[in-house]
Amino acid sequence: MAGVKASTVTAVVHTRLVHDTHRRASTVLAEAAADPAASATALAELRDFLVVHLDSHHKSEDDVLWPMIEERAPGAAEPLARLSGEHDQLEAALEALAAAPIDEPGRTALVAAAVAVRDLVHVHLEHEEPVLLPALSEHISDEAWDDFARQVRATTPGVGAHLLVGFLDQVGTPEDVEIILRDMPAPVRAELREQAQETLGRLTAAG
């Protein structure tokens, strides 16, 4: 984390964790969709989680975070607009994923839609992070980030909360995960972690 101002470490760590969660969740879905042994119910849980959370995440960036950054760094407007264009592409891919039947023999449409979303997510984040992470480090204070994070928590649907916790545990250190889950009571976290392990276990042949 060298070079990142102390006052903005929270924003950078939070963003990296969320992005890594999206990378991981989209990868797991693409792989599980192609696994005949994967539970249809677990696939539906993961698919719905990914669709809802990606859509909500991108809307929060386009509607709230991008204007916040542009107000403090006017030169960021053009690259952020390009990223919003990629959000539009992802929205179309998410609509196809949401519509893909899970009980179709071979799950052909689901596999194709999940792979498309995974590939778009990974490429998009390769484009976004070199723009967004320095902007957060240089221009967004802890107070501004906390206000944004509160808005996100208030507007993000609760779909798949257990999977959010489960994937955060996979991609982050306990200290980093605490930044995002610090307001969640420990018993609730424990229950969601157990639920996530059960769901993710049913997505593999070993589960």
Side-chain angles (χ1 to χ4, degrees):
M1 197 67 67
V4 175
K5 296 177 182 178
S7 64
T8 55
V9 165
T10 296
V12 172
V13 171
H14 190 151
T15 299
R16 282 179 169 158
L17 277 178
V18 171
H19 285 181
D20 286 346
T21 293
H22 293 161
R23 288 184 175 101
R24 179 64 181 154
S26 62
T27 297
V28 170
L29 179 60
E31 293 173 351
D35 183 354
S39 158
T41 302
L43 276 172
E45 288 182 39
L46 178 53
R47 187 267 305 275
D48 293 348
F49 162 78
L50 190 62
V51 168
V52 167
H53 279 261
L54 278 174
D55 181 67
S56 177
H57 177 73
H58 294 152
K59 282 182 170 59
S60 72
E61 289 181 333
D62 292 335
D63 297 343
V64 184
L65 187 56
W66 286 185
M68 184 189 306
I69 293 172
E70 290 170 12
E71 182 181 356
R72 294 161 172 79
E78 183 177 345
L80 292 176
R82 289 198 298 269
L83 294 172
S84 289
E86 293 186 4
H87 290 170
D88 294 339
Q89 296 175 18
L90 272 162
E91 182 178 354
L94 289 171
E95 289 176 358
L97 179 59
I102 288 178
D103 56 358
E104 172 197 19
R107 295 173 179 151
T108 305
L110 180 67
V111 172
V115 168
V117 168
R118 178 200 63 194
D119 292 350
L120 282 170
V121 165
H122 283 242
V123 170
H124 172 65
L125 293 177
E126 289 176 5
H127 296 164
E128 182 171 285
E129 288 179 341
V131 174
L132 178 56
L133 297 182
L136 293 177
S137 172
E138 295 167 14
H139 301 293
I140 303 301
S141 67
D142 269 358
E143 181 180 7
W145 180 259
D146 286 344
D147 287 343
F148 169 70
R150 277 193 293 270
Q151 291 183 60
V152 170
R153 286 194 297 270
T155 57
T156 299
V159 175
H162 60 301
L163 291 172
L164 175 62
V165 173
F167 284 124
L168 285 172
D169 284 343
Q170 289 186 10
V171 303
T173 67
E175 294 77 15
D176 289 346
V177 172
E178 177 67 21
I179 292 174
I180 294 182
L181 300 184
R182 61 192 175 193
D183 294 330
M184 182 181 290
V188 175
R189 291 191 211 179
E191 181 179 350
L192 292 175
R193 285 187 170 110
E194 183 177 349
Q195 188 179 354
Q197 289 172 3
E198 195 274 336
T199 296
L200 294 173
R202 290 186 288 121
L203 290 171
T204 65

